[in-house]
Amino acid sequence: MPESNESNTFSISPSISILVAGILIAGSIVFVNRYPAPTVDVEQPTTVVNIPLPSQSDHRMGSLTAPLVLVEYSDFQCPFCALIHPTLKKIVDESNGKIAWVYRHFPLESIHPHAKPAALAAECIAEQLGDTGFWKFADALFADQSKMSSTYYAQLATQFGANKNTFSACVASEKYVSKIDSESADAQKNGGQGTPYTVVVGKKLQIPFSGALPYAQIMSVIKAVESRQ
């Protein structure tokens, strides 16, 4: 089914919005139950990838010196990305510095027309406000994806403290398109076919998982990587 256009999104009544949100959540539950995390063979993991290692150029929560890093390839318009967002945040918060989180772009443009413009806006906010501004923007979009629009991105940029004119010029220049495309290509080269696509990066190996998996299943992948450090 084609995506609703922006005007239709904003014209939906509150009661219908609640119903749609419920359907998305229910669908997410069905998804993770139907497609559980694969069992990871600790001795001989069946799926190992080789994505670019996290660096200072990444948007991250936590330290790059953490023993494990969750590298998430994500799409701001993806409902499953919104679902996993608080779960990954919880895992990092509970790790006491042992796990960091990196966000990389993987906008699915064929089905999510707002995803790439949102990614560009996020980069332009980060240009002025660093990772603090980037994560505030991500939190705001994943909290309510129905608001996604260029007007809303500019509103958030100003609200967070960015210069509106500088932000607008940055977005118009599309200066970060190559970065977004490169990160998307890295995801696809390493088996990413949809979002979210997350790779648990350890010192000796990287193991990916797909979808908005529950906390316990994500932790099982993390422990498999941790045991091979």
Side-chain angles (χ1 to χ4, degrees), residues 207-227:
I207 297 179
F209 63 88
S210 298
L213 300 184
Y215 174 91
Q217 289 181 307
I218 296 174
M219 289 304 300
S220 72
V221 182
I222 289 172
K223 289 176 182 177
V225 176
E226 190 174 35
S227 69

Side-chain angles (χ1 to χ4, degrees), residues 122-217:
E123 290 297 329
C124 289
I125 286 177
E127 180 179 87
Q128 293 190 59
L129 304 177
D131 282 346
T132 298
F134 179 90
W135 288 107
K136 284 183 178 180
F137 182 80
D139 288 344
L141 291 197
F142 286 134
D144 190 352
Q145 292 169 311
S146 71
K147 293 183 177 180
M148 295 181 73
S149 70
S150 58
T151 300
Y152 184 54
Y153 309 151
Q155 175 187 327
L156 288 176
T158 304
Q159 177 183 320
F160 298 154
N163 179 280
K164 185 176 181 179
N165 291 334
T166 302
F167 168 79
S168 297
C170 175
V171 171
S173 72
E174 299 188 341
K175 65 191 293 184
Y176 291 104
V177 164
S178 59
K179 176 183 180 181
I180 294 166
D181 290 346
S182 176
E183 291 178 353
S184 297
D186 285 334
Q188 293 177 73
K189 283 190 297 185
N190 285 279
Q193 298 180 358
T195 54
Y197 182 66
T198 307
V199 181
V200 183
V201 178
K203 296 186 183 303
K204 295 184 179 180
L205 83 165
Q206 305 174 1
I207 297 179
F209 63 88
S210 298
L213 300 184
Y215 174 91
Q217 289 181 307

